[in-house]
Amino acid sequence: MEIKVLESEKTKLRLELVGKTYTMVNVLVKELWNDSDVDVAGYNVMHPQTSNAILVLETKKKDAKKVLLAAVDSIKKDSKDFVAQFNKIAK
C-alpha cells in the first residue's frame, strides 16, 4: 500500500491511502477514537471506484504520528488474538 502525506504537523495528519477505500480506514478510525487525546478522526472517499481514502487525524496534544502508530499496533494485536481464538474453534 502506498501512503501519500498530504499534511503533517505535530498534532495533525492528512494521508491519502492509495488503493484503499472504506474497509481498512473504517477500522483504523474506530481504533483512533479509543485514544482520549484524539480530537478528529475520520476519512473521506469521494467515489469508491475512482478515489483513494483520505484519512484525517487531529489530536489535542499528542504527536499524531505516534497516535496513529499506536492504533495500528492495537489493530495488529486484536487481529492476532482473533486468529488465535478462531484457530481454537476451527479444529
Side-chain angles (χ1 to χ4, degrees):
M1 169 179 48
E2 180 184 354
I3 299 174
K4 294 180 182 179
V5 178
L6 304 176
E7 185 175 354
S8 179
E9 298 175 18
K10 182 179 184 335
T11 61
K12 185 175 183 180
L13 278 176
R14 261 185 5 111
L15 306 173
E16 180 178 1
L17 307 177
V18 178
K20 301 297 175 191
T21 56
Y22 300 100
T23 306
M24 184 182 138
V25 185
N26 195 34
V27 171
L28 185 54
V29 166
K30 185 175 179 186
E31 185 61 37
L32 285 166
W33 279 114
N34 289 327
D35 189 317
S36 61
D37 195 66
V38 170
D39 225 7
V40 174
Y43 66 92
N44 188 24
V45 178
M46 296 301 284
H47 190 282
Q49 294 179 334
T50 60
S51 304
N52 298 314
I54 305 295
L55 173 70
V56 177
L57 170 62
E58 292 183 27
T59 62
K60 295 172 187 162
K61 293 182 181 179
K62 290 182 184 177
D63 186 311
K65 291 176 188 174
K66 290 180 181 177
V67 170
L68 181 60
L69 288 174
V72 170
D73 285 342
S74 180
I75 292 167
K76 286 175 17 181
K77 181 186 176 299
D78 287 347
S79 297
K80 286 179 184 177
D81 290 346
F82 175 80
V83 169
Q85 291 298 315
F86 183 76
N87 283 335
K88 286 180 184 178
I89 63 170
K91 293 181 180 183

